[in-house]
Amino acid sequence: MLDDFFIRAIVGGIGVAVVAGPLGCFVIWRRLAYFGDTLSHSALLGVALALLLELNITFTVFCISVVVAMLLMLLQRRASLSSDALLGLLAHSALAVGLVVLAFMTWVRVDLMGFLFGDILAITRADLMMIWFGGVAVLIALIKIWRPLFAATVSYELATAEGTRPDFANIVFTVLLAAVIAVSMKIVGVLLITALLIIPAAAARRFSKSPEQMALIAIIIGVFSVWLGLSGSLEFDTPAGPSIVVAALSFFILSILPLPNLKPRNQFQKIEPAKTELDSETP
Amino acid sequence: MLLSLENAGVYKSERWLVRGISMHVEPGEIVTLIGPNGSGKSTTAKMALGVLKADEGKTYRRQDLKASYVPQKLDVNWTLPLSVSRFMRLTNKASYSEIETALSSTQILHLAQKQMSQLSGGEFQRVLLARAILRSPDFLVLDEPVQGVDFNGEVALYRLIDDIRHKLNCGVLLISHDLHVVMSTTDRVICLNGHICCSGTPANVASSNEFKSLFGEHALSGLSLYKHRHDHEHLLDGQIDQSSKSKSNLKQNKSEKNHALRKAKNA
Ligand SMILES: Nc1ncnc2c1ncn2[C@@H]1O[C@H](COP(=O)(O)OP(=O)(O)OP(=O)(O)O)[C@@H](O)[C@H]1O
Ligand SMILES: [Mg+2]
């Protein structure tokens, strides 16, 4: 069954969506969209390095992402430049440098479009193993650090004061993010990884009453986006990454449409007797 | 002893935010930090909790000290779907009945399923306090815990804090601008202004010259001039609390304070 490239793409894409959902929620909650952009754009540097040293691409991208993430965390602590300006600058610089370096390496033939926008044909069985074993590891790690990570997301100071050790959770989270970027590169491409992270999560917001629920719904929306997007990509011969993102976007648009019965409602709210009393007093 | 600071200070943005802070907190006592805005109360509290590292001096915390923190400010942005009852389990596990008990103690059981981002200021403070208490801490840090809480609520919450420290025998580090409450219910007062101006029992501090120069001669004057009577309390969901038809001296202090404030303004 896995002989069919399309099945491989679907299985790989779903694997990516399953980890991108919960991590994407954290990216939204912590306002890390730019951070994710910078990380994923620097993935191209990882590709260049892998080709240069003849290393495994996914693994090299993962390592480079971890290094870049740690550097960013250090830089943000020191820099006086506002962090979104800094990240915006770095995101696009990393992309540009990656492209220039790749252009210099005339001796390797690279399918640049595949790296930028994803390439469903390029997914191998080895990639699938990487995505699914890696994905399961990422999910287990995320569940382990869920409580301190979430506490630190709500308030770093509160989490520190009450002994949940948020620094460790933050570092693990960054490594997990790097891992997801490395494995999803082939499917959506470096330009659109952040979109795969945040759009399903944003679409899930409206239907969720708890963080855990939002993570689950983001997974479901992500899985359907991958399926719809890849099918469309095959049908209309469009690039894989953008097609998946367009599918996710349509879920997001659905989620913000003012459909009355989808509105999260509070069933437990009581009618306040005091209010009616007051109302009747006013002439 | 739960924790102590010895000549501790925090250096940030090329200046000392606080310096030369020596203090300690024992189980079951309430230590209060008072001082004008920007005098370093919150900074000192964070240093005591270990959120900020002391850049000089020593900090000691008892091993496995279980701390609860009510910060002065906390933003829960809209992107976070976080209900009150989920927030109660932010840093600890808790059964639903424990959560109910804690929420009832600050009279907000009816908010259990509400989203944090939709609470009013006073409701939010009550949730913060309920969550801090739920953890059964050894050390409770309250940074202006009753800001924005209504008149009756303020009295009730201060009474609750007093109950809790007896029940749990926990040390409380309280930051408050309610000088009358501070002077009547706390064991020790530390008066800050970038450094410790004066400290000791409320009576000693109130009569010290440093206190008077920081808060003015009349900060505590005008007591027992006028007593407000209100023979029942309204719960937050609008019902009348039948069990609360008793007076506490805290409440009287409050109305006296308000009257004193008015008097001071007119003078
Ligand atoms: N992160 C920070 N970086 C630089 N300076 C800070 C920081 N946090 C606080 N300060 C400064 O430290 C001083 C003490 O602040 P702190 O918050 O401890 O005051 P406070 O006594 O709690 O005041 P308030 O009554 O207004 O809450 C202030 O002058 C403030 O400007
Ligand atoms: Mg403060």
Side-chain angles (χ1 to χ4, degrees):
Chain A
M1 189 181 80
L2 290 177
D3 292 336
D4 182 13
F5 75 93
F6 184 68
I7 301 288
R8 284 201 300 270
I10 295 266
V11 170
I14 287 174
V16 167
V18 167
V19 284
L23 284 175
C25 290
F26 279 102
V27 170
I28 287 192
W29 296 334
R30 304 185 140 205
R31 304 173 191 282
L32 289 179
Y34 260 132
F35 186 80
D37 248 2
T38 310
L39 276 192
S40 50
H41 289 184
S42 66
L44 216 54
L45 280 176
V47 173
L49 196 69
L51 293 175
L52 196 65
L53 303 177
E54 291 174 2
L55 297 168
N56 176 296
I57 291 183
T58 309
F59 183 73
T60 317
V61 167
F62 170 68
C63 294
I64 291 283
S65 299
V66 169
V67 171
V68 171
M70 297 297 159
L71 283 177
L72 283 179
M73 279 171 38
L74 278 181
L75 210 61
Q76 267 175 311
R77 238 174 247 177
R78 292 167 179 248
S80 49
L81 205 59
S82 95
S83 67
D84 75 325
L86 183 71
L87 289 173
L89 183 155
L90 287 176
H92 300 106
S93 312
L95 185 67
V97 172
L99 288 171
V100 168
V101 170
L102 277 178
F104 268 117
M105 296 164 52
T106 43
W107 63 94
V108 285
R109 271 191 50 227
V110 226
D111 171 22
L112 207 51
M113 291 302 272
F115 286 119
L116 291 179
F117 298 115
D119 183 3
I120 53 171
L121 293 173
I123 295 168
T124 62
R125 279 160 176 270
D127 289 331
L128 284 189
M129 297 279 276
M130 182 97 84
I131 288 172
W132 278 92
F133 282 111
V136 168
V138 167
L139 279 187
I140 290 173
L142 189 63
I143 290 168
K144 287 249 181 236
I145 60 162
W146 187 274
R147 185 186 294 277
L149 185 66
F150 184 70
T153 302
V154 174
S155 165
Y156 179 81
E157 289 185 344
L158 194 74
T160 314
E162 300 189 347
T164 53
R165 301 211 301 141
D167 288 321
F168 176 71
N170 282 347
I171 290 174
V172 173
F173 170 70
T174 313
V175 172
L176 298 185
L177 206 56
V180 171
I181 285 169
V183 296
S184 48
M185 190 180 61
K186 275 200 178 166
I187 295 181
V188 284
V190 292
L191 287 181
L192 296 170
I193 291 173
T194 320
L196 186 70
L197 283 167
I198 65 177
I199 297 179
R205 171 62 187 95
R206 176 154 174 212
F207 311 108
S208 333
K209 291 205 187 76
S210 73
E212 291 77 14
Q213 208 178 21
M214 181 158 151
L216 274 181
I217 298 176
I219 290 179
I220 294 168
I221 293 178
V223 167
F224 276 104
S225 304
V226 164
W227 178 67
L228 261 178
L230 288 180
S231 309
S233 159
L234 192 69
E235 179 81 24
F236 305 110
D237 196 24
T238 48
S243 310
I244 293 172
V245 172
V246 167
L249 178 69
S250 50
F251 283 114
F252 175 74
I253 291 171
L254 267 182
S255 87
I256 56 172
L257 287 181
L259 303 176
N261 49 351
L262 289 179
K263 213 172 139 191
R265 216 180 273 146
N266 192 349
Q267 299 136 340
F268 295 85
Q269 211 162 22
K270 286 181 204 151
I271 301 160
E272 295 180 23
K275 222 171 201 169
T276 48
E277 259 169 46
L278 271 179
D279 287 345
S280 58
E281 271 170 26
T282 45
Chain B
M1 194 164 64
L2 294 177
L3 86 158
S4 68
L5 301 180
E6 240 173 82
N7 215 14
V10 175
Y11 189 82
K12 227 180 197 174
S13 311
E14 283 146 37
R15 71 187 182 100
W16 288 97
L17 304 188
V18 291
R19 202 169 189 187
I21 306 290
S22 297
M23 58 174 282
H24 62 103
V25 180
E26 307 280 346
E29 75 169 352
I30 301 184
V31 176
T32 311
L33 297 176
I34 58 173
N37 292 141
S39 57
K41 302 181 296 296
S42 301
T43 307
T44 304
K46 284 176 197 167
M47 193 160 59
L49 282 166
V51 172
L52 285 177
K53 244 185 73 220
D55 295 303
E56 69 168 17
K58 278 190 206 135
T59 53
Y60 161 83
R61 259 183 302 280
R62 204 183 70 188
Q63 212 130 59
D64 298 325
L65 183 72
K66 190 167 184 189
S68 278
Y69 182 32
V70 172
Q72 183 173 8
K73 209 173 70 190
L74 182 67
D75 293 320
V76 176
N77 72 57
W78 179 84
T79 60
L80 262 174
L82 182 60
S83 68
V84 169
S85 55
R86 176 65 180 79
F87 179 71
M88 298 294 281
R89 291 183 280 120
L90 190 67
T91 59
N92 46 272
K93 295 194 171 83
S95 70
Y96 198 76
S97 69
E98 287 169 328
I99 292 175
E100 276 184 343
T101 313
L103 290 176
S104 306
S105 72
T106 60
Q107 302 157 336
I108 45 165
L109 187 53
H110 59 291
L111 298 178
Q113 303 303 326
K114 251 203 152 183
Q115 290 290 310
M116 290 296 289
S117 54
Q118 295 170 354
L119 297 181
S120 76
E123 289 172 341
F124 199 96
Q125 286 305 123
R126 288 169 185 263
V127 172
L128 284 182
L129 187 61
R131 195 199 62 86
I133 290 171
L134 173 72
R135 288 168 46 79
S136 314
D138 306 317
F139 178 45
L140 185 56
V141 177
L142 307 169
D143 197 340
E144 302 190 23
V146 299
Q147 50 178 308
V149 171
D150 57 48
F151 182 82
N152 291 330
E154 223 178 289
V155 178
L157 292 190
Y158 276 125
R159 205 187 303 147
L160 174 68
I161 293 166
D162 200 40
D163 286 350
I164 290 296
R165 61 115 168 212
H166 288 306
K167 214 169 84 196
L168 301 176
N169 195 33
C170 69
V172 179
L173 183 63
L174 174 70
I175 295 173
S176 168
H177 291 293
D178 293 310
L179 293 183
H180 285 82
V181 174
V182 168
M183 292 304 172
S184 61
T185 51
T186 59
D187 301 308
R188 270 179 311 116
V189 178
I190 296 172
C191 187
L192 278 179
N193 195 10
H195 59 278
I196 294 185
C197 289
C198 53
S199 65
T201 61
N204 285 343
V205 168
S207 61
S208 75
N209 289 328
E210 289 91 343
F211 178 83
K212 283 177 187 153
S213 69
L214 209 53
F215 293 99
E217 285 285 343
H218 303 288
L220 289 168
S221 62
L223 289 163
S224 64
L225 292 164
Y226 159 78
K227 278 178 188 148
H228 170 77
R229 290 220 157 248
H230 191 68
D231 68 349
H232 62 269
E233 282 174 17
H234 295 273
L235 297 179
L236 282 192
D237 60 2
Q239 288 160 333
I240 288 171
D241 184 3
Q242 296 296 341
S243 65
S244 68
K245 291 197 175 184
S246 61
K247 294 258 80 58
S248 80
N249 47 7
L250 266 176
K251 189 189 277 180
Q252 287 177 10
N253 273 339
K254 284 292 299 181
S255 47
E256 283 151 10
K257 173 192 154 193
N258 279 9
H259 191 73
L261 278 177
R262 231 176 295 132
K263 217 183 121 198
K265 261 188 210 144
N266 292 340

